[in-house]
Amino acid sequence: MIPTLLVGDWLFVNKAIYGAHVPFTHSSLPAYREPRRGDVVVFVSPFQADEDSAGRDPTPTLVKRLVGTPGDTLYMRRGVLYVNGIAQRQGFGANTPVNPDIANSADPLFDWQKRVGLKASRFGGAPLQPTHDNWGPLVVPSGKLFMMGDSRYNSKDSRYWGFVPRENVRGKPLFVYYSYNADDSDRPLPYITDIRWGRIGHWIK
């Protein structure tokens, strides 16, 4: 999610806005509003078999941006995301330069898209082999959401593990209440000695 979020940011999350999850159940309290396209959302990932086989948590709690809501038609061409036929160059992910080493890569984790990609549509048909920067069109089903990271070439997101069930949503991060240089600090105990004071209170958009 860089640059929206940085490694070492601690987030204040509004868990009530989308309906607070009732622990140990599949139920949630009534929501104030539904997640909207463009929201930054905290959610539980769909099951990731590759993470499970590697001995890691297969359903981690993640933070990504919601780019597709039920009924939206999504596709990507040459690194540009299209939502209902409208290019999303402006805004989130707009300044991420194309990485030619990754752009045309075809990860086996993309193969789930072959089952849902539209063979024909007013936007054209889905490629036979989805790649990092060229996939879809596909339609977001009812009760599902499509998430992507703002740092498109450093994000394992819905392109890899698919649609997120609405009930997996846990909240909306509002602001950074603490931050320290967690990724490249050369100081001892950086969570005390390398605090990003300018990040504290930063509102997340």
Side-chain angles (χ1 to χ4, degrees):
M1 285 295 293
I2 295 171
T4 305
L5 302 175
L6 302 180
V7 178
D9 283 350
W10 294 26
L11 309 177
F12 182 90
V13 178
N14 182 341
K15 294 185 177 181
I17 187 170
Y18 302 137
H21 176 70
V22 179
F24 310 111
T25 73
H26 294 288
S27 302
S28 297
L29 298 177
Y32 289 109
R33 71 167 176 85
E34 284 299 300
R36 297 171 184 163
R37 195 185 308 121
D39 285 354
V40 176
V41 178
V42 177
F43 61 96
V44 176
S45 169
F47 182 81
Q48 300 184 46
D50 61 314
E51 298 293 335
D52 189 45
S53 62
R56 296 186 288 266
D57 183 1
T59 56
T61 298
L62 303 175
V63 184
K64 303 287 182 185
R65 192 174 298 278
L66 172 57
V67 300
T69 56
D72 283 341
T73 300
L74 307 178
Y75 60 98
M76 215 172 190
R77 294 293 181 268
R78 297 182 180 179
V80 178
L81 174 67
Y82 291 80
V83 179
N84 301 321
I86 301 174
Q88 306 294 299
R89 283 189 180 276
Q90 61 275 34
F92 319 115
N95 297 319
T96 304
V98 171
N99 184 329
D101 295 329
I102 299 177
N104 295 314
S105 61
D107 195 298
L109 295 178
F110 298 153
D111 285 351
W112 71 271
Q113 297 182 30
K114 295 178 181 179
R115 300 189 301 272
V116 300
L118 302 179
K119 305 303 181 187
S121 75
R122 63 191 179 99
F123 309 118
L128 294 177
Q129 176 58 61
T131 63
H132 189 278
D133 278 6
N134 293 279
W135 51 267
L138 51 81
V139 178
V140 182
S142 175
K144 307 289 186 180
L145 305 168
F146 197 96
M147 307 288 188
M148 289 183 69
D150 288 357
S151 181
R152 298 283 166 79
Y153 292 98
N154 188 28
S155 176
K156 189 181 180 188
D157 49 36
S158 280
R159 291 171 292 183
Y160 293 82
W161 32 251
F163 303 111
V164 176
R166 169 63 179 84
E167 59 267 24
N168 286 25
V169 171
R170 294 293 180 264
K172 176 176 172 50
L174 298 182
F175 61 88
V176 177
Y177 71 85
Y178 185 75
S179 182
Y180 71 98
N181 192 357
D183 50 357
D184 61 358
S185 179
D186 58 358
R187 302 181 186 180
L189 303 176
Y191 55 89
I192 298 174
T193 61
D194 204 354
I195 299 171
R196 299 189 188 105
W197 295 103
R199 291 284 295 172
I200 297 176
H202 172 74
W203 283 88
I204 299 166
K205 300 178 181 179

